[in-house]
Amino acid sequence: MIRQVSRYFQLKSKQKEIEQELQELRNEILAHCEQQGISETTVGGYQVKLVKQERKEYDDTRLSEALPDPQLWRLLSKPDPSRISSLLKLKVLSEDQLKDTYVTKQVTLLQIDKR
């Protein structure tokens, strides 16, 4: 068991280092593309693409006020955008109920494919 725990610890440490380096590289690539005013390019044998996406971040207090039915609130328990989206699609919730309960945030996704 000591071998597994030790290896797990080593891998988790590596994972943190890799995630940090990935974040730094991502920031550098995004900064370069923004400086150049481009959202798609080919670098060497790689296709780089920036995809803009909007995400909603819900405010707990406003959301609970907008959903007076405690059954609905229990379904959500924590504002999970994918659950809320599903409830909207199922017409359990309406956009009118949710207005002013969230802010829309612009997120840039980075996609890199090998050609």
Side-chain angles (χ1 to χ4, degrees):
M1 180 69 167
I2 186 77
R3 187 177 58 81
Q4 290 92 342
V5 171
S6 175
R7 183 66 179 146
Y8 183 87
F9 181 82
Q10 288 172 347
L11 291 173
K12 286 301 273 185
S13 296
K14 273 187 188 179
Q15 180 184 18
K16 287 179 186 177
E17 290 173 23
I18 290 170
E19 287 173 356
Q20 183 177 353
E21 185 176 355
L22 281 169
Q23 186 61 43
E24 290 169 5
L25 291 169
R26 180 184 186 281
N27 290 341
E28 290 172 14
I29 293 166
L30 290 176
H32 175 79
C33 289
E34 286 177 17
Q35 281 178 343
Q36 301 298 313
I38 56 176
S39 63
E40 195 169 335
T41 187
T42 302
V43 178
Y46 299 91
Q47 181 70 30
V48 177
K49 188 187 297 187
L50 304 183
V51 180
K52 299 279 184 190
Q53 226 182 38
E54 287 187 356
R55 293 190 181 157
K56 295 178 181 177
E57 291 184 354
Y58 291 90
D59 179 280
D60 290 356
T61 307
R62 289 181 176 176
L63 191 58
S64 67
E65 289 168 1
L67 303 175
D69 182 355
Q71 295 290 353
L72 276 178
W73 187 245
R74 274 190 224 110
L75 282 174
L76 296 173
S77 71
K78 178 182 177 229
D80 178 349
S82 62
R83 279 189 193 162
I84 294 171
S85 181
S86 295
L87 291 172
L88 281 167
K89 287 178 186 171
L90 293 170
K91 301 202 186 302
V92 173
L93 297 176
S94 71
E95 284 289 345
D96 286 341
Q97 283 179 288
L98 298 178
K99 72 177 181 185
D100 300 325
T101 65
Y102 61 86
V103 293
T104 303
K105 180 179 167 186
Q106 187 94 22
V107 178
T108 302
L109 303 177
L110 174 62
Q111 296 177 343
I112 298 180
D113 298 311
K114 194 164 186 168
R115 293 172 122 315

